[in-house]
Structure formats: C-alpha cells, structure tokens
Amino acid sequence: MQLYTVRELLTEDTVGTLRRIAEIGFTQVEPFGLLDFADGLRQGLAETGLTAPTTHQGFIGRDDEALDTVFATAAELGIQTVIDPYVPVERWQTAADVEEIAAQLNAAATVAAKHGVRVGYHNHAHEVESTIEGVTALEYFAGKLDPEVVLEVDTYWVVVGGHNPVDLLPKLGDRVVALHVKDGAGTTETKDQVAVGQGALPIAEIIAAAPNALRVIELDDSRGDRFQAVADSYAFLTAEAFA
C-alpha cells in the first residue's frame, strides 16, 4: 500500500502504523517523503518484516549531491525503485518541456545506478490531459526515456484525465512496473475515492492490462476512514486473486 493513504497516522507514529498495516496482511508498502520518514521506516520495516520495493520522493532536477542522498537512503532501506511523484502541470504542455523532464530523469537514473537503484515517474491527470504530437504527454514522455527508467501509472488519475487506463497501459508496455489501484467515481474530488471494488473503475480489466505490474493500493482521500478502506481493498483484491 502507498503510505500517503495514512499520512496522518504515519506522522504521529510511523512504527505503530506499519505494525497495523502488517497486521492486515500486507507484506509490502510504498513510502512517500522518503527522506522525511527514513528513521521511522528504518525501525518499522525491520520490526514488522515489511519491505518497500518502491518509494515516492521528489528528485527530478536536483543536483548530483542531492540525488546521491536520495538514492543512498533508498538503497540502505532495501528499496529498489525511487519514483518521482509529481512534476507541475505547466511543464507538460510542450514537446521541449517534456523532453527536458525526460532528460533530467535519465540523468538521475545514471546516479541511481551507482547505488543499485532505478528511477521512475508517477502520473496525475495532467500528463494525460496534455497532447504532444498526437499522443498523451505521458506517452510522448515514455518514448524519450532511457530503457532502464520505469513508470508507475496511477490508473485513477488516468480516468480523471479523460482516458481509459485499460487502453493506455498496453501503449506504455513493460515500462509500467507498478500501478496505483484506486477506486471511486473518477472525479477530481479526492474525497470521492473509496475502497477498491466499491467504486466505478474496472479493476479486473485494469489489472489484466498490466498483469506483471506491482499493485499498490492508495486513497488520496475519502469520506470514510482511509485505514478501513485500505483493509477493505486488501480483502477485495486477495479474494479476487488480484493481489
């Protein structure tokens, strides 16, 4: 699960929250704000036996010293993939700007490789709302990335951006190593998000479109208790053999 879902609890008690997550049955988590939570993660992962194959941490455009800090921290915690979660909407409007983002990510990949780590990018809606040379900016971006750079596709935000993730995922191919599996009404109102299996998204079809990708449960927000929604999502995905 993406730990941003329970950000308030994580801030109050990182280790205790990780224990609660492990008790649900999770074996893997996706941290956010890696550098901010590194100390708590170090203790919590060790105590619970949870692993973190991926993490979110902004790094695109930073200098090599800052990149080294990010990737060394990831390597220390056993994290294999560091994903930048957000580049602002204004940088996704022209081919030149998208190519610059790709170049910065490719450069970061070279630094990450020294630490045995790879890098990726996570979308929101604006990367698919923008069109570059007849395709979504996300597709154009993917075509400019070095082979070792990966993508985590947030399937909910693809829907918000006006596209069907079932159609988009095959176009991005094996570069997609992880999915954010979310459910709800598919609106920009994050409180409309609900437990996986209780909303409008075609979860089975989405997973089938990228069958080898890691499935990461996340809610940006919800009108109900987010921790309970995570537990309900886990129960649904495991019952349907999607986990």
Side-chain angles (χ1 to χ4, degrees):
M1 66 165 287
Q2 164 55 249
L3 294 178
Y4 182 75
T5 306
V6 291
R7 50 198 174 272
E8 298 89 352
L9 295 173
L10 200 75
T11 300
E12 293 170 5
D13 182 2
T14 301
V15 177
T17 302
L18 291 174
R19 286 198 198 101
R20 288 183 63 188
I21 291 166
E23 288 168 0
I24 293 174
F26 284 97
T27 58
Q28 298 177 315
V29 293
E30 183 175 78
F32 73 102
L34 175 65
L35 299 183
D36 294 331
F37 288 97
D39 290 341
L41 290 168
R42 191 176 293 110
Q43 178 183 350
L45 294 177
E47 289 190 12
T48 62
L50 291 166
T51 60
T54 56
T55 188
H56 281 195
Q57 173 64 54
F59 62 83
I60 290 175
R62 296 191 182 185
D63 62 32
D64 283 3
E65 182 178 357
L67 293 175
D68 276 323
T69 298
V70 171
F71 302 136
T73 302
E76 178 196 353
L77 293 172
I79 297 169
Q80 295 89 44
T81 306
V82 181
I83 298 165
D84 193 301
Y86 186 79
V87 173
V89 59
E90 61 268 16
R91 296 190 64 194
W92 293 92
Q93 305 309 308
T94 69
D97 282 344
V98 174
E99 289 167 11
E100 181 184 27
I101 300 166
Q104 290 174 330
L105 194 53
N106 291 338
T110 301
V111 179
K114 297 188 298 183
H115 299 275
V117 172
R118 66 182 177 180
V119 298
Y121 183 74
H122 163 281
N123 66 283
H124 286 82
H126 56 265
E127 298 92 342
V128 298
E129 289 173 328
S130 175
T131 300
I132 307 291
E133 297 187 7
V135 297
T136 66
L138 185 63
E139 292 170 81
Y140 185 80
F141 174 65
K144 302 299 180 181
L145 296 175
D146 289 342
E148 64 271 21
V149 180
V150 300
L151 294 174
E152 176 176 63
V153 175
D154 190 310
T155 56
Y156 193 86
W157 286 112
V158 169
V159 172
V160 174
H163 291 264
N164 187 342
V166 177
D167 297 331
L168 180 63
L169 287 167
K171 296 176 184 178
L172 299 172
D174 292 340
R175 195 182 290 279
V176 180
V177 301
L179 302 176
H180 270 194
V181 181
K182 302 156 81 165
D183 212 343
T187 69
T188 58
E189 174 51 72
T190 56
K191 286 188 178 296
D192 287 342
Q193 293 175 23
V194 297
V196 178
Q198 297 180 14
L201 269 66
I203 301 300
E205 291 86 350
I206 288 170
I207 290 173
N212 298 319
L214 183 69
R215 293 141 204 183
V216 184
I217 294 168
E218 184 191 32
L219 293 92
D220 296 294
D221 207 342
S222 184
R223 300 187 193 282
D225 181 87
R226 278 180 262 128
F227 200 97
Q228 184 60 51
V230 165
D232 292 345
S233 298
Y234 178 87
F236 171 80
L237 291 170
T238 51
E240 298 293 327
F242 294 148

